[in-house]
Amino acid sequence: APAAARELRVERFDAQITVDNDGSIEATETIRVRFVGSWQGLYRTIPVEYRTPQGLNFTLLLDVLAVTDGGGAPLTYELGRDRHYRKLKVFLPDAVDAARTIVVRYQVANALRFFEDHDELYWNVTGDQWDVPIEAASARITLPPGVTGLRATPFTGVFGSRAQDADLEV
């Protein structure tokens, strides 16, 4: 097919994030992708280094546990590093004029930040490196029992955006 006939879009990006008592998280991302034309797979780029204007700099220790299709069959992938990101190259057989589901499961050992007056999970659910549209995204975060004083603020849009175009339920 000519290059103009190729298109890729993320129909759904759903993240399930479980926070453990030790400050680690386990994330499961279910990504439904629509391929038009012939494709070899998909890149998933996850930010792992953060630098804030307040001088808070931290690096997340990310360990990929599994990459599967929607039915649980393992997918071949390569894991690399690109600037302040971990980059997964996921190979998808028969990604030709079809919708495919990719499930990425990983653990982050130091996801929570601990401060004197509060603890914080600052999480970029979809990442900021998609060059294709994401039609719908959701995140469900499960905290350990007994957590109190919870506050949550969602941010949406491109990198640096302060938009809060999201529904949030605590």
Side-chain angles (χ1 to χ4, degrees), residues 10-160:
V10 176
E11 294 179 335
R12 291 211 50 87
F13 187 111
D14 298 306
Q16 298 285 327
I17 300 164
T18 302
V19 179
D20 202 353
N21 285 324
D22 65 2
S24 67
I25 67 165
E26 186 170 312
T28 301
E29 300 174 347
T30 303
I31 307 167
R32 177 82 173 165
V33 182
R34 171 71 56 189
F35 297 95
V36 176
S38 180
W39 294 81
Q40 299 298 314
L42 180 80
Y43 285 103
R44 170 65 176 110
T45 307
I46 304 168
V48 293
E49 289 183 18
Y50 291 90
R51 291 177 184 17
T52 69
Q54 298 79 20
L56 177 63
N57 301 326
F58 60 95
T59 299
L60 300 174
L61 304 174
L62 186 140
D63 183 31
V64 175
L65 303 174
V67 179
T68 62
D69 66 15
L75 292 173
T76 301
Y77 68 94
E78 294 174 359
L79 183 60
R81 181 89 182 195
D82 183 11
R83 296 170 298 149
H84 55 281
Y85 302 95
R86 294 300 304 267
K87 191 167 190 171
L88 280 92
K89 181 179 183 179
V90 181
F91 296 92
L92 287 165
D94 303 321
V96 180
D97 296 326
R100 295 286 184 261
T101 299
I102 300 165
V103 180
V104 179
R105 199 167 60 90
Y106 54 90
Q107 187 170 34
V108 179
N110 60 336
L112 256 56
R113 312 309 307 162
F114 298 99
F115 299 97
E116 241 180 73
D117 59 341
H118 71 284
D119 301 332
E120 177 180 87
L121 173 64
Y122 177 86
W123 196 252
N124 188 332
V125 174
T126 61
D128 59 7
Q129 292 297 297
W130 293 97
D131 58 358
V132 299
I134 298 175
E135 295 175 348
S138 71
R140 180 177 186 84
I141 301 169
T142 304
L143 301 172
V147 171
T148 61
L150 185 64
R151 293 179 303 173
T153 305
F155 294 100
T156 60
V158 298
F159 179 76

